Amino acid sequence: MAGFGHKKNPRPIKKTKSNNAQVKLQTAIAAYQSGQLKEAKDLCTEVAKESPQDSSILGLLATIEKQLGHTTSASELFKASLRLNPDNPDFHHNYAGLLKEYDLKKAHEHSSRAVALAPNQPLYLERLGYIQWQNGERGKGLESSLKAIKLKPQLSTAHMNLGGIYIDLGELDHALASTLQSLELKPDNPTAHLNLGLIYKELGQLDQALKSTLKSLELNPDNPDALINLSGIYKDLGQLDQALASTLKSLELNPDNPTAHINLGCIYKDLGQLDQALASTLKSLELNPDNPTAHINLGCIYKDLGNLDQALTSTLKSLELKPNNPDAYMNLGCIYKDIGNFDQALYCLREAEKSDEVKAKASILLAQTYSSIGLYSEGIQALSETQTKEGKGLLLALYLCLNKKAEFNLCAKELIAKNWHTQTSIAAIDHANIVYSQTLDNGLKGSTLDSIVNQKIKKHEFPDTLLEGIIKHLSAKTIQPQHQGLLVNGSQTSGNILDIPKKPFQELKKLLIKKLEDYNQSCSINTDKDFMANWENNMYILRGWAIVMGKGGNLLSHNHELGWLTGTFYLQMPEREDNSEEGAIEFSHQGPKYPQGDSSFDTRVIRPDVRDLNIFSSSLFHRTLPFQSKTQRICIAFDLQKNEKFLADSY
């Protein structure tokens, strides 16, 4: 009985423990609010041991664990707190904040439950709107975010989310206004600055995009996503070295980001470093094998490497993963054209043309393909809606092919009035002026026959070892040939031979860049006096290919409509008599597909020797004269193309 007597006075002891627990809890809350998460966790853990059924303590501990990055323990604690108190909206809201990073479906369930329990709580609505948006429910996300802002107009995160939703909806003006409002309320939010950079990039305001993204990185220097966005802006600005540095920094922070590896591959490709481009793109596919963008990029790299079979396989795989992708159809059309499968090329380009997104570009490619096989009327039909400089220039050439003088002159006058000169239109006007006895302005203020410069490269500039290295590589036939219908008894390599990472090709590329700079400084027709600065700013692209001819070989008259300046460098020449023109190159304004009438065209013939280099306007027609020597005629032809994204016309 004595034992029962002691029971009269146990309560003060329990009360003391309760007081201690209460003190610890208040101290834990204060530590949590001041950012001392470890101290808060330790105190909450002690209290939870004393009161394991107290849902509020478990809920606070779960929130602390979440902020410490302890996802598994936080999840278990949230579940425990909800078992004890299933109708607590804070628990549902906070648990949704954890789940949104890896399970949007469950996050949506708990966020919706929080809003159902407390429908006028703006923070709950803001989170629900974000989750709905990330879950693809943009309309619902928009509605929830607007409700949150109506209840609490100063809620900066809701304005920020609203901006992101408007970006996805394509309403960039609204996106800009919402994001700027978010930053007015919270100026140092790195995510809002990052979003602002995305909006400015979409609006084409790259300087503003750069400024906003750099501000985001100033506030949060180690954000790999911000570095990827920065890389994209630098790439669009043509600053590829900075784009490369930003992407590499992003990969240091997050080495297994497949998107970063895709971007890295694109930058390396634009820099002409195809081996690195290939490695980066393959790494991306190792991390994410079913990414259609990586497969389409891989196809482009293989095409430039001269491996058309692999290019075709990769591009078809991309289309399998993302059916009806117009970019894949366009690329396939170009690959099939290079292979010589014109039926498949036309089919793919017609499929691409159905997309408004790429219709203008696909129509030009389709018209070029029709033109290459002599279907000029079909080419004109493909360009029926074109309103671009390139499209109109091609349309002009097709009118001339069909000898439609009235339509030709009407189109030519439109192009001249707009100063829309392209190599295609220049060539057509030069030919038509002779055939139709006209004096239309070709935009060059001179004759392209005067653009031809022939020079002899000395041995110390390009030694025999380099010359022989290229010939040896070509003889190994590791580069797949492409279809070339104008070439008799010869072959032409596919891809871009000047991007092959072997020393002889890279040394040749350096030589050609130097000689192109000299040409631009010395000539007055079709030149750019700021060539080297523009080259270093990636405003030009240099593409090359090898042409190998055997006995009786020749290349029929043609010009390079995609180039701006064109050249030929001779590695090996067949034997000929001193005055013979066998194997020579002949230039004129005479387009082989255009009407000839009884007109006479001036010509200029150059008889090249080994190491000779010719540079001339890409609009100029030229052909190789046949030869009978058993020694092969081997040359590297190249086009200097304008990167139209960055460089305005300088005719």
Side-chain angles (χ1 to χ4, degrees), residues 421-470:
H421 296 287
T422 65
Q423 297 301 325
T424 305
S425 66
I426 291 168
I429 289 171
D430 284 344
H431 181 102
N433 279 344
I434 296 170
V435 172
Y436 297 148
S437 300
Q438 301 178 157
T439 56
L440 293 175
D441 181 13
N442 68 2
L444 296 181
K445 299 179 176 60
S447 169
T448 50
L449 282 172
D450 295 329
S451 73
I452 306 165
V453 170
N454 171 259
Q455 55 186 304
K456 298 187 180 298
I457 305 302
K458 296 180 174 60
K459 279 192 176 185
H460 75 267
E461 294 180 280
F462 201 76
D464 286 343
T465 53
L466 296 176
L467 207 71
E468 292 162 2
I470 295 178

Side-chain angles (χ1 to χ4, degrees), residues 112-131:
S112 297
R113 179 62 177 156
V115 170
L117 291 165
N120 294 319
Q121 167 55 264
L123 289 175
Y124 297 171
L125 284 163
E126 177 267 322
R127 178 157 291 168
L128 178 61
Y130 174 83
I131 292 169

Side-chain angles (χ1 to χ4, degrees), residues 528-543:
D528 173 12
K529 301 307 177 187
D530 297 320
F531 167 74
M532 189 54 73
N534 288 332
W535 169 265
E536 289 172 355
N537 286 324
N538 304 293
M539 293 181 179
Y540 286 105
I541 300 165
L542 186 61
R543 302 186 65 85

Side-chain angles (χ1 to χ4, degrees), residues 106-378:
K106 285 187 178 180
H108 188 280
E109 292 174 7
H110 287 280
S111 189
S112 297
R113 179 62 177 156
V115 170
L117 291 165
N120 294 319
Q121 167 55 264
L123 289 175
Y124 297 171
L125 284 163
E126 177 267 322
R127 178 157 291 168
L128 178 61
Y130 174 83
I131 292 169
Q132 289 169 327
W133 165 39
Q134 295 299 307
N135 214 26
E137 300 176 301
R138 294 169 186 161
K140 290 181 179 179
L142 182 66
E143 183 181 349
S144 297
S145 299
L146 288 170
K147 282 181 181 178
I149 290 170
K150 185 176 181 181
L151 290 165
K152 189 176 180 180
Q154 304 305 305
L155 189 55
S156 65
T157 49
H159 286 284
M160 182 179 70
N161 293 345
L162 194 60
I165 295 168
Y166 280 133
I167 291 174
D168 284 358
L169 291 171
E171 299 180 26
L172 295 181
D173 290 340
H174 286 136
L176 182 61
S178 296
T179 308
L180 288 172
Q181 178 64 39
S182 172
L183 282 166
E184 185 178 323
L185 295 166
K186 191 176 179 182
D188 291 337
N189 184 340
T191 304
H193 282 287
L194 185 61
N195 291 353
L196 187 61
L198 286 171
I199 297 165
Y200 280 131
K201 185 174 184 289
E202 289 296 315
L203 288 169
Q205 300 177 33
L206 293 180
D207 290 339
Q208 287 280 26
L210 180 62
K211 182 180 177 181
S212 298
T213 309
L214 288 171
K215 179 63 177 177
S216 177
L217 280 162
E218 178 188 322
L219 295 165
N220 184 9
D222 293 331
N223 183 347
D225 294 331
L227 286 162
I228 285 295
N229 289 6
L230 181 64
S231 170
I233 296 166
Y234 278 134
K235 188 171 184 291
D236 285 352
L237 285 168
Q239 299 175 25
L240 296 183
D241 290 337
Q242 292 92 327
L244 179 62
S246 297
T247 308
L248 290 172
K249 176 65 175 175
S250 176
L251 282 167
E252 283 179 21
L253 297 166
N254 184 6
D256 293 330
N257 181 354
T259 302
H261 285 286
I262 289 177
N263 292 358
L264 188 60
C266 290
I267 295 166
Y268 278 133
K269 182 178 183 295
D270 286 350
L271 286 168
Q273 300 176 27
L274 293 184
D275 49 349
Q276 292 97 325
L278 181 62
S280 297
T281 308
L282 289 172
K283 178 63 178 178
S284 175
L285 283 165
E286 179 187 319
L287 295 165
N288 184 6
D290 293 331
N291 187 328
T293 302
H295 282 286
I296 201 170
N297 289 0
L298 187 61
C300 291
I301 295 166
Y302 278 131
K303 185 174 183 292
D304 276 358
L305 284 169
N307 192 332
L308 296 179
D309 291 338
Q310 285 278 27
L312 183 61
T313 299
S314 297
T315 312
L316 286 170
K317 179 63 177 178
S318 175
L319 193 63
E320 176 189 324
L321 293 166
K322 188 180 179 181
N324 302 317
N325 180 3
D327 289 322
Y329 273 119
M330 271 203 307
N331 289 8
L332 280 172
C334 294
I335 295 167
Y336 279 126
K337 183 182 176 186
D338 283 352
I339 291 172
N341 189 337
F342 290 100
D343 288 340
Q344 282 289 358
L346 291 170
Y347 168 78
C348 290
L349 292 171
R350 288 191 205 104
E351 289 297 308
E353 197 185 25
K354 294 176 183 177
S355 167
D356 291 338
E357 182 184 350
V358 301
K359 183 176 177 62
K361 186 175 180 181
S363 296
I364 291 172
L365 291 171
L366 182 60
Q368 287 171 343
T369 306
Y370 278 129
S371 176
S372 67
I373 55 177
L375 298 177
Y376 307 128
S377 295
E378 288 82 350

